[in-house]
Structure formats: structure tokens, C-alpha cells
Amino acid sequence: MDFQQAAATPGVPTRCPMHGQDFAADPYGIYDQLRNHGPAAPVEIAPGVDAMLVTAHETALRVLQSPTVFARDSRHWDALNKGRIAPDSPVLPMMVYRPNCLFTDGTEHLRLRKAVTESLDRLNPTRLVRDVEQIADYLVNQFCERGTADLLNEYAKLLPLLLFNKLFGCPAGIGDRLTRSMAALFEGEDALRANEELNACLMELVSLKRREPGDDVTSWLIQHPAGLRDEELKDQLVMLMGAGIEPERNLIGNALLLLFSKEESAKGASMLIDDALDNVLWNNPPIANYATHFPLQDVDLGGVVVKANTPLVISFAAANSDPSLADARQSRSMGAHLAWGAGTHACPAKSPARLIAVTAIERILNSLPDVTLAVHESSLQWRPGMFHRALVSMPVTFSPTAPTRIAAAALAHDVRRPAVAEPSRPSVQATAPAKPQAKKTMWSTFLDLFRV
């Protein structure tokens, strides 16, 4: 039963569910149905969590560019304030208020955004490319001899996690926990516990960087004239990781899928990487639905009345596929799609995000030149969840190849890294039983390899 049939059937909920496998399998079919309701339609974004979804491009722009009418501060959320949202709802960590530039408005937003944008502006593109290449080589070395891999879970998912740990200056202990909690948060696995662990390890990172600043984004935020408090610092990092890790994973994965495609309409391997990224940003944006706004009063959106303090979610995917944009879609005008948002809250990291994706895709294709999908693309599954457009996995095959000597190359490239110490001779103390060591994760192993 589709949404329109449900709406006309007595006793059947009229809000379209966007959290199940049906939506993940065919979101654009759902968007087409929702358009029949008007420029915005009632949806259920998680069990018991209602919202209005904006599907029209013109209406989406109106909301995104009218901050005095539509607030980003989720403390306006009426249902949450009245206790109608379960405290363990999987969408709360993505929607509940944090003192960062994603959930603030007016002068407070400008102050926080200035700190973020000016810190990101300090990223050196050459160094960023080098970091991505080193991490990419490290990941490829884990599977290149096998001749098979899951490029989603063994590459596209892990590369942004490791990169952001590096950009934020995370030591092993904090970085390992950060990697685990951020992954669990996006997967909706025990969201409350994952959120608590994420907050705890980021507060430890902020404390560490106040004592021992480095050449990293965390230290730059601390040093910024905006004078961010610890809680504000922690939540800018939450926003940066949330806006960087999951979207970057999906941008890389969705572009690789397009490049591997054998469908005639997709052009597949004949596409340039930049063209593939533009195609994905138009047709499969990594974050499909987000940018929740709250009308400060009842508002009429093209004949659809949205009550004050109701979550109003922007569907970037639906807005990009709005039939009224046929000409812009045909020319793939970069200025028309909304994958990066619009208005005062538009993504501040478009350039580095694109550079990371291009470098990651180039590196995997150059490392494994005959890589191809191991299954027909129609059999690939998409992860449930309304916020993202994300594959479950991407099995590939390729000719097995020997690992590269990335550790030696990295050490030779950067003389600032300390040399590997010679093993010390055994001593009397060395014969004592060693304390149990915590199991190393990929971040610890990467740090050992590169002596970061």
C-alpha cells in the first residue's frame, strides 16, 4: 500500500514512514507520492516522531534562506518539549539541540560559524591530499592481496573516520573510542550510549588540546578569538564529524557505484571523477533529508499549513529531483542543486569535502585499475534511515596485488616524524608479567604505522 492509498484508507496512518527498508529501497518513488500532497508532506521520520518533509525546490530555498521565520534551534520542538518523543529515539542525537552552528541562529550562529569556517580555512590542501593518500594506501594494503573487498565498509567508511581523527589531532586512546561511538551513532546502535561516549571522548580531546595544542582543527578552534567554551568546542567537533564522516563516506561510495555502473544511461567508467561527483550531488546526494527547521509561527507553504514549532525537514534529494528543475538537471548546473544546502547554514566545507572525495576515488582506482563490482548493481542494498543515502556494502573483485611500502614512504616524506626507536635490551623488569593491553583498533594501528 502506498502513501496515497494509506491516506485515503480509514484507520491507516496518513504520515508516510521514512525509516524502513521500503523507503530505503525506493526513496524517489516515495518523494513522487509525497509531491501529490503539495510542496511539503507529513512523514514519520522514526517510530513516533512526526515531521513535515519539504519536497519542492522553490519551497526548500524559501525555508533555507529565511532564518527569521524558520529557526534551526531545536529547543523550539513542541513535541519534544511536551515529552512526546521517546528519550531513546534513534533520531534524537541527530536532531536535539547542541550549542554549535548547526542548531543556532542570529548573532550566536555567526560567532560560532566564524570560528568553524576560519579554522577550516587553515587546512592546507596539499597536506590534506597527502593525508588522504596515506590513509587510502593503508586501507588498500589491508585487502589488496585478496583480490576481493567490500569497498564500502573496508574503504569508503573507514577513510573519513581515520582522516577526521587525524585532522582533529586525536591520540590513539581517544581516537579509538571516537571512531567506535561515531560509527554506532550513525548506525542507530544504542544511540544514547554512543552519544554519551562521543561527548566524553571529545571533552577529553578538548582538555588535552588546551594543555598541549597542536597543528590541528581542535587546537585552531581553541585558539580562535571567538573564545569558545569547552561545551561549545565539543559540540563544534560533533557537528564537524557528523557533517564530514557520514556524508563523505556516502559521496565516495555513491560516486564509485556510478563509475562502476554498466547501465548505458550512467556512462559508467567513461565518466570523469568530477562528473561522477556532480551526478551524485544531483541524483543521489549523500545526505538526502536533513536541515531541520522550526517555523516560529504557523506558516503557509504553497497551500500546506505547517504549525509553529513543528520539525520541517528539507529533502535535498526530493528538491533536486523536482520536475520544475528539468533544464537545470539536464545541464547539471552546480548552482541549482541543494546537496550542500543554502542560505546562512550552507555547508562551510564544500571545497575540502570534494578534494577528499576526488583524492580517495583516484587512489583506489589507481591502486586497483581493474576493480569491478562483484555483483550486479541492482542487487546492492541501501541502508534504512531517512537522513542518508547510503549503501550497505559494495563487494568488488580485482587482480591481487602486493601491498605498497606506505610506512617507509610516509616517514621519508615528513622529517618531523620521530624515527622508530631501536628495540631495547631485555632488563630484569622486562621479565615481569605485562599488563593486559586494550585491543587495538584500526586508528591505533594506523598511528603506530605512521608514528603520527
Side-chain angles (χ1 to χ4, degrees), residues 208-396:
L208 171 66
K209 292 299 176 179
R210 282 203 186 277
R211 299 192 308 271
E212 303 172 18
D215 188 21
D216 52 67
V217 175
T218 307
S219 300
W220 298 338
L221 282 168
I222 290 171
Q223 296 159 2
H224 193 273
L228 304 185
R229 304 183 304 274
D230 283 2
E231 188 74 12
E232 291 176 328
L233 287 162
K234 179 259 294 180
D235 282 304
Q236 305 323 301
L237 295 176
V238 170
M239 179 206 64
L240 286 169
M241 295 197 78
I245 291 175
E246 175 77 8
E248 196 70 49
R249 157 194 173 155
N250 300 337
L251 182 59
I252 295 169
N254 295 354
L256 282 172
L257 175 60
L258 185 62
L259 291 168
F260 293 151
S261 176
K262 292 182 171 59
E263 297 292 334
E264 185 175 347
S265 60
K267 298 183 181 179
S270 66
M271 296 186 76
L272 298 175
I273 293 175
D274 275 322
D275 291 339
L277 291 174
D278 287 337
N279 188 300
V280 166
L281 292 169
W282 263 108
N283 300 309
N284 246 349
I287 295 299
N289 307 288
Y290 198 42
T292 309
H293 291 70
F294 298 86
L296 298 178
Q297 58 190 27
D298 292 359
V299 62
D300 187 329
L301 297 179
V304 177
V305 176
V306 180
K307 295 291 186 182
N309 302 322
T310 295
L312 188 60
V313 179
I314 304 297
S315 178
F316 304 118
N320 284 359
S321 59
D322 189 329
S324 69
L325 292 180
D327 291 342
R329 286 174 56 79
Q330 186 69 27
S331 63
R332 292 209 176 93
S333 170
M334 292 179 61
H337 73 68
L338 295 180
W340 302 114
T344 58
H345 285 85
C347 176
K350 289 186 288 186
S351 294
R354 192 176 183 106
L355 181 61
I356 292 165
V358 168
T359 306
I361 294 169
E362 284 180 344
R363 207 66 172 180
I364 193 71
L365 296 181
N366 289 336
S367 300
L368 309 172
D370 63 348
V371 63
T372 186
L373 283 176
V375 299
H376 192 277
E377 59 196 274
S378 63
S379 68
L380 296 176
Q381 291 187 321
W382 298 89
R383 283 164 47 208
M386 66 140 330
F387 297 122
H388 52 237
R389 181 60 172 162
L391 287 164
V392 172
S393 64
M394 185 184 292
V396 296

